[in-house]
Amino acid sequence: MTTGTGLLPHQRAKILPTVVLLVGALYCLVPVAWVVVAATKSSGELFSTFTFAPGTGLLDNLRDLFSYGDGRFLLWAANSALYAVVGSAASTLISTLAGYAMAKYDFRGRTLLFYAILAGVLVPGMTLAIPQYLIMSETNLVGSYWSVLLPSLISPFGIYLARVYALSSVPDATLEAARIDGASEYRIFGAIGLPMMLPGMVTIFMLQFVGTWNNFLLPYIMLSDESRFPITVGLYTLLAKGSSEPALYGIAIVGAAVSVIPLIALLLFLQRFWRLDLLSGGLKG
């Protein structure tokens, strides 16, 4: 039965969720659109033209970005890649090992440990920055690459995701059959558990990579040597200097736009490893 608007009841019920999704999409995409448009503007156009009107200074901004400080932006990008790739790979492996163990092995304190990890998921990373700094200071690692890498190795949320995925994607019967055949636990994990958990590992790696690549507070607290800054802290220093050198605003903005490209490329590359059962596995867990 239709109403005066010509819509069926189930069609009208979809209007509100659609509107909410559209508003959320605009909320997320408008800042991205602003950065992309602003990256095309020269210093003069940035403050004198309409916000979303394209400019004519994109090539000049790119040239200034890559020539700033004798290639300082490329150094910052290399540092970000180091922190993100190494930290995310190690964190993914640790999360996979821990999640698999809590899902497939029965040991004393397993439930308590799992709830402790869930509590860790609820703790904002910002509240851990100062304690992490104090720990690194006691070990004389402040200012080194390790001061940024080590705190990122343990991810409570990554361990939680790995446990959920291991519960749903690695059948206990398959593991028991391998044990009956005489396979060791290391071989079972490497030959059976690890391949089955690959889509979950890809998700964990992606989340860790994005979080580490965009991390600002931890490296800002830990590092004082500009040659070890990631992109986030490096661009912040450009903005801080922009009050005395307005030209640096344009460099910082185009740098922010360029820094998103590796994340997009990584997402496009990793999506081939995802399967639909990743979602269903998460729901079942």
Side-chain angles (χ1 to χ4, degrees), residues 165 195-204 273-275 277-278:
Y165 196 77
M196 290 183 173
M197 294 182 65
L198 182 59
M201 294 174 63
V202 170
T203 301
I204 295 171
F273 297 100
W274 278 314
R275 296 198 307 262
D277 60 357
L278 175 62

Side-chain angles (χ1 to χ4, degrees), residues 48-86:
S48 61
T49 60
F50 176 66
T51 301
F52 290 99
T56 59
L58 177 60
L59 296 180
D60 291 335
N61 289 338
L62 288 172
R63 183 176 61 252
D64 294 340
L65 174 67
F66 291 110
S67 63
Y68 173 78
D70 295 328
R72 187 56 58 93
F73 178 79
L74 293 177
L75 178 60
W76 294 338
N79 291 336
S80 289
L82 172 66
Y83 299 137
V85 174
V86 175

Side-chain angles (χ1 to χ4, degrees), residues 178 182-195:
S184 66
E185 295 299 328
Y186 296 105
R187 181 174 176 79
I188 292 173
F189 174 74
I192 300 176
L194 204 60

Side-chain angles (χ1 to χ4, degrees), residues 77-97:
N79 291 336
S80 289
L82 172 66
Y83 299 137
V85 174
V86 175
S88 301
S91 178
T92 300
L93 179 59
I94 293 172
S95 298
T96 302
L97 290 169

Side-chain angles (χ1 to χ4, degrees), residues 10-282:
H10 72 276
Q11 292 175 325
R12 288 188 289 109
K14 296 179 181 179
I15 294 178
L16 181 59
T18 302
V19 171
V20 172
L21 290 175
L22 288 175
V23 172
L26 287 175
Y27 178 80
C28 296
L29 293 178
V30 167
V32 177
W34 181 88
V35 170
V36 172
V37 173
T40 66
K41 298 184 179 184
S42 63
S43 299
E45 294 172 335
L46 187 61
F47 300 102
S48 61
T49 60
F50 176 66
T51 301
F52 290 99
T56 59
L58 177 60
L59 296 180
D60 291 335
N61 289 338
L62 288 172
R63 183 176 61 252
D64 294 340
L65 174 67
F66 291 110
S67 63
Y68 173 78
D70 295 328
R72 187 56 58 93
F73 178 79
L74 293 177
L75 178 60
W76 294 338
N79 291 336
S80 289
L82 172 66
Y83 299 137
V85 174
V86 175
S88 301
S91 178
T92 300
L93 179 59
I94 293 172
S95 298
T96 302
L97 290 169
Y100 177 86
M102 285 192 294
K104 297 304 174 181
Y105 295 115
D106 188 11
F107 54 89
R108 181 176 299 178
R110 182 179 70 168
T111 302
L112 180 62
L113 179 61
F114 177 66
Y115 285 134
I117 291 173
L118 283 182
V121 173
L122 302 177
V123 177
M126 185 177 298
T127 62
L128 300 177
I130 299 302
Q132 288 170 345
Y133 175 83
L134 296 176
I135 293 174
M136 292 298 159
S137 179
E138 290 293 327
T139 55
N140 296 319
L141 292 176
V142 170
S144 67
Y145 291 110
W146 290 109
S147 62
V148 180
L149 285 171
L150 289 178
S152 66
L153 295 184
I154 305 300
S155 170
F157 187 61
I159 295 174
Y160 169 76
L161 286 181
R163 178 184 179 274
V164 169
Y165 196 77
L167 282 172
S168 61
S169 65
V170 183
D172 292 334
T174 303
L175 302 183
E176 289 300 326
R179 293 188 181 104
I180 293 174
D181 289 339
S184 66
E185 295 299 328
Y186 296 105
R187 181 174 176 79
I188 292 173
F189 174 74
I192 300 176
L194 204 60
M196 290 183 173
M197 294 182 65
L198 182 59
M201 294 174 63
V202 170
T203 301
I204 295 171
F205 178 83
M206 183 65 196
L207 294 175
Q208 284 294 107
F209 188 96
V210 172
T212 305
W213 184 272
N214 292 329
N215 193 8
F216 169 78
L217 183 60
L218 182 64
Y220 179 74
I221 292 176
M222 294 291 185
L223 303 175
S224 58
D225 186 354
E226 190 172 332
S227 64
R228 295 179 178 174
F229 284 173
I231 288 180
T232 51
V233 181
L235 294 180
Y236 173 79
T237 62
L238 291 182
L239 289 175
K241 297 175 182 177
S243 57
S244 58
E245 300 180 59
L248 295 180
Y249 281 126
I251 296 178
I253 291 173
V254 74
V258 171
S259 68
V260 178
I261 295 176
L263 299 180
I264 297 175
L266 182 68
L267 178 61
L268 294 176
F269 173 75
L270 292 182
Q271 68 178 354
R272 71 181 65 181
F273 297 100
W274 278 314
R275 296 198 307 262
L276 182 61
D277 60 357
L278 175 62
L279 178 60
S280 62

